[in-house]
Structure formats: C-alpha cells, structure tokens
Amino acid sequence: MEDFLRDIKLIEDARGKLVVFENGNNCPFEVKRAYCIFGVKEGEERGFHAHKNLEQIAVCLSGSCEFILDDGKEQKTFALNSPKKGLYIGNNYWRVMKNFSKDCVLLVLASQHYDQSDYIRNYKEFLTYTKNAAK
Ligand code: T46
C-alpha cells in the first residue's frame, strides 16, 4: 500500500496558523465538499465503511487521531497529529478512525457531494466489491 501522507504548507506567525489547499497543487481533485469532525468522545471509533467514487484529504487542524486504511489485502495505520500532514484517501479503502484526542479537529476535503449510495458499510460486501473492481 502506498504512503498516502501529503505535505501541507503551514503558514505560521505571531497571529496564528494558516493552511492552504489548492486544486492541482497540494490537492489532486476539485473540492466539492468540506466537513469537519470534532468533539469526538474518548474511545469513540468512526468510519467502518468504504467509498466507491470519492477522493478525500483529511487533516488534523488540532489534536490527533488515527486512520486505519484497508484495501482488502492489507491494513495500514496513519497517525494524523499535525496540520502539516494530509492523508489522501482514494476509492475503495475501508476506513476506521480512532484514538481521537479531546481537542481533535479533523478537516476533510472531498471530491464529490454527499451521496449515501456511494458508501459500502458492510465489510464482506466491500471485499467482494474491491475484488471485482480490481479485475
Ligand atoms: C469518511 C470519513 C473520513 C452528511 O449529511 N453529509 C456529509 O457530508 C457527511 C460526511 C455526513 N453526513 C451525515 C451522515 C450521517 O448521518 O452525518 C452523519 C455522520 O456520518 P458518518 O457516520 O458517515 O461519519 P464518519 O465519521 O463515520 O465518516 C465520515 C464520512 O461520512 C466519510 O465519508 O470518509 O468521515
């Protein structure tokens, strides 16, 4: 599995911090949607699904969390603990997010509008889908 962590330029001065995402520069897709996950209670886990047609970049603006990405063959854990690192997630990765710190603010940029029918929420179904997609 490739390493999906991408560098993000952090512009920091006495007033605070700023991060920039630009299509074609550090963001490989046109952003159609952005959402934030925050206030996650200790011990909570999220995700447990894959997407058929969705590219995303996830970045922790504050605090930390972990993403486990699974392509049906192997799993890799990515620690997100800096606004300088964005996790690029393409199609067909089962994801689990865990170990959220109390102060975690996770920003996710997405290539498509919200579409419930794009989610695969059953792991067995995901394995079948991803095997067929690879053919
Ligand atoms: C993903 C990971 C990283 C909406 O109405 N619009 C939206 O754009 C999103 C993202 C969610 N929702 C609703 C759907 C659910 O009723 O918000 C609720 C919570 O969503 P979900 O349980 O899918 O949240 P996570 O944290 O498990 O997954 C989210 C994204 O949904 C998913 O695409 O890749 O973050």
Side-chain angles (χ1 to χ4, degrees), residues 3 18 24 26-27 37 45 58 62 66 72 90 98-99 108 110 112:
D3 195 329
L18 186 153
N26 61 350
C27 186
I37 295 172
E45 298 186 349
S62 85
E66 280 177 4
K98 61 199 284 192
N99 291 330
V108 185
Q112 303 295 336

Side-chain angles (χ1 to χ4, degrees), residues 33 35 37 46-47 49 51 56 95 97 114 119 121:
R33 177 167 58 104
Y35 58 92
I37 295 172
R46 305 183 65 112
H49 61 258
H51 283 281
Q56 299 191 109
R95 72 218 53 200
M97 297 116 81
Y114 178 65
Y119 285 70
R121 292 193 182 268

Side-chain angles (χ1 to χ4, degrees), residues 2-126:
E2 304 162 52
D3 195 329
F4 286 157
L5 288 177
R6 307 276 168 101
D7 289 327
I8 297 165
K9 192 176 170 192
L10 177 68
I11 303 168
E12 195 169 5
D13 60 30
R15 298 167 300 168
K17 297 172 185 172
L18 186 153
V19 284
V20 187
F21 298 91
E22 266 180 359
N23 294 343
N25 185 359
N26 61 350
C27 186
F29 53 83
E30 195 182 323
V31 177
K32 290 201 179 146
R33 177 167 58 104
Y35 58 92
C36 261
I37 295 172
F38 53 99
V40 178
K41 285 201 192 117
E42 204 185 330
E44 285 294 344
E45 298 186 349
R46 305 183 65 112
F48 300 95
H49 61 258
H51 283 281
K52 298 178 222 167
N53 176 34
L54 185 69
E55 292 178 270
Q56 299 191 109
I57 290 184
V59 55
C60 256
L61 297 180
S62 85
S64 59
C65 68
E66 280 177 4
F67 267 75
I68 300 164
L69 295 184
D70 176 344
D71 65 3
K73 290 186 191 135
E74 58 173 318
Q75 289 188 353
K76 202 164 173 186
T77 301
F78 298 92
L80 292 188
N81 50 24
S82 161
K84 289 182 182 175
K85 289 284 174 199
L87 181 67
Y88 172 78
I89 312 166
N91 299 329
N92 300 336
Y93 285 93
W94 187 262
R95 72 218 53 200
V96 174
M97 297 116 81
K98 61 199 284 192
N99 291 330
F100 285 86
S101 65
K102 242 186 169 179
D103 58 345
C104 179
V105 177
L106 181 71
L107 169 68
V108 185
L109 306 175
S111 65
Q112 303 295 336
H113 294 147
Y114 178 65
D115 177 5
Q116 236 179 334
S117 69
D118 190 61
Y119 285 70
I120 305 174
R121 292 193 182 268
N122 176 291
Y123 189 72
K124 268 193 182 167
E125 218 177 276
F126 159 69

